[in-house]
Amino acid sequence: QVTAEEIGSQVALEYGQAMTVRVCKADGETMPVVVVQNASVLELKKALRRHVQLRQARQGGVQHLSWKYIWRTYHLTYAGEKLADDRKKLREYGIRNRDEVSFIKKLRK
């Protein structure tokens, strides 16, 4: 069951208009997320949410995740730097096609 959005993403990848960012979870699982070339951190987060929701719908796992809780509890990091500004472009952090971004648990203050 492939969605039109997934097909569009693959076509954009073929034409070099999009890139794949591999998001690594703490358990070692890596999720390939497709975003446009000039995507912001917020667009990466939204694409990650769509990826997880589609995967859960196909596998019949947990139906609802609290993304508010996830973003309150975890940071996305790249090369040791937190992707703290949602408006900042991924390329401003130096993120390119097939680069890995990790979930890091936030420390309590």
Side-chain angles (χ1 to χ4, degrees):
Q1 191 73 8
V2 180
T3 66
E5 185 181 2
E6 289 174 302
I7 293 169
S9 295
Q10 291 304 316
V11 170
L13 270 175
E14 284 296 316
Y15 285 103
Q17 299 163 341
M19 63 180 174
T20 303
V21 178
R22 297 192 325 239
V23 181
C24 300
K25 291 178 19 185
D27 64 4
E29 181 187 349
T30 303
M31 298 176 285
V33 179
V34 178
V35 291
V36 293
Q37 285 287 354
N38 63 344
S40 65
V41 173
L42 183 62
E43 289 170 304
L44 173 62
K45 288 179 176 180
K46 287 180 179 176
L48 177 63
R49 174 191 269 181
R50 283 193 304 271
H51 175 85
V52 170
Q53 286 172 337
L54 275 172
R55 193 183 69 192
Q56 286 178 324
R58 288 182 181 135
Q59 294 176 349
V62 180
Q63 286 304 313
H64 178 74
L65 280 176
S66 170
W67 287 94
K68 198 174 190 177
Y69 170 79
I70 290 171
W71 299 129
R72 205 173 49 229
T73 311
Y74 294 92
H75 284 294
L76 284 176
T77 62
Y78 173 72
E81 184 180 0
K82 292 176 189 167
L83 308 184
D85 185 356
D86 280 351
R87 294 180 307 276
K88 206 167 174 184
K89 300 288 183 197
L90 295 177
R91 70 165 55 120
E92 291 178 51
Y93 285 105
I95 298 172
R96 301 277 182 261
N97 193 22
R98 296 193 187 95
D99 281 347
E100 284 194 358
V101 171
S102 300
F103 269 109
I104 302 292
K105 197 161 178 67
K106 290 183 180 179
L107 298 174
R108 282 203 175 140
K109 292 176 183 170

